[in-house]
């Protein structure tokens, strides 16, 4: 499978347990990847996140400081990727 490594979010501030951080970016995949299985690799997201592509949920992850992957739907060539993150345990 092909894998996409996104740059770190660059968040340099704390946020409160009631806030949601929304990281948004457009992704474009090479046309010849459309028939391949493509994974988005995350080095870590602390603590709870939901990953969307063009408004549809791709997956969820809970945990801190552990890598995980989310598979893109077959035939994906691009779209708007959104990662919504909450950390209710951190004040």
């Amino acid at each position: 499978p092909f894998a996409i490594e996104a740059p770190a979010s660059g968040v340099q501030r704390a946020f409160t347990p009631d806030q949601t951080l929304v990281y948004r970016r457009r992704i474009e995949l090479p046309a010849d990847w459309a028939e391949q299985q493509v994974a988005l690799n995350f080095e870590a997201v602390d603590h709870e996140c939901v990953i969307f592509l063009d408004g549809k949920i791709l997956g969820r992850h809970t945990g801190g400081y552990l890598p995980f992957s989310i598979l893109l739907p077959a035939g994906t060539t691009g779209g708007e990727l959104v990662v919504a993150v909450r950390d209710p345990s951190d004040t």
Side-chain angles (χ1 to χ4, degrees), residues 19-74:
Q19 292 178 304
T20 300
L21 172 75
V22 178
Y23 179 75
R24 181 184 319 264
R25 76 180 290 152
R26 288 227 29 103
I27 60 171
E28 298 296 329
L29 306 179
D32 59 341
W33 286 23
E35 301 303 317
Q36 304 296 319
Q37 186 175 41
V38 178
L40 292 175
N41 295 324
F42 294 82
E43 289 188 28
V45 175
D46 189 25
H47 178 75
E48 301 168 351
C49 74
V50 181
I51 298 105
F52 300 86
L53 182 63
D54 292 335
K56 296 180 183 149
I57 295 176
L58 290 182
R60 301 173 187 269
H61 177 78
T62 301
Y65 309 109
L66 296 173
F68 66 97
S69 297
I70 298 288
L71 294 176
L72 294 177

Side-chain angles (χ1 to χ4, degrees), residues 68-87:
F68 66 97
S69 297
I70 298 288
L71 294 176
L72 294 177
T76 298
T77 58
E80 182 183 52
L81 179 70
V82 174
V83 181
V85 180
R86 292 183 64 96
D87 189 355

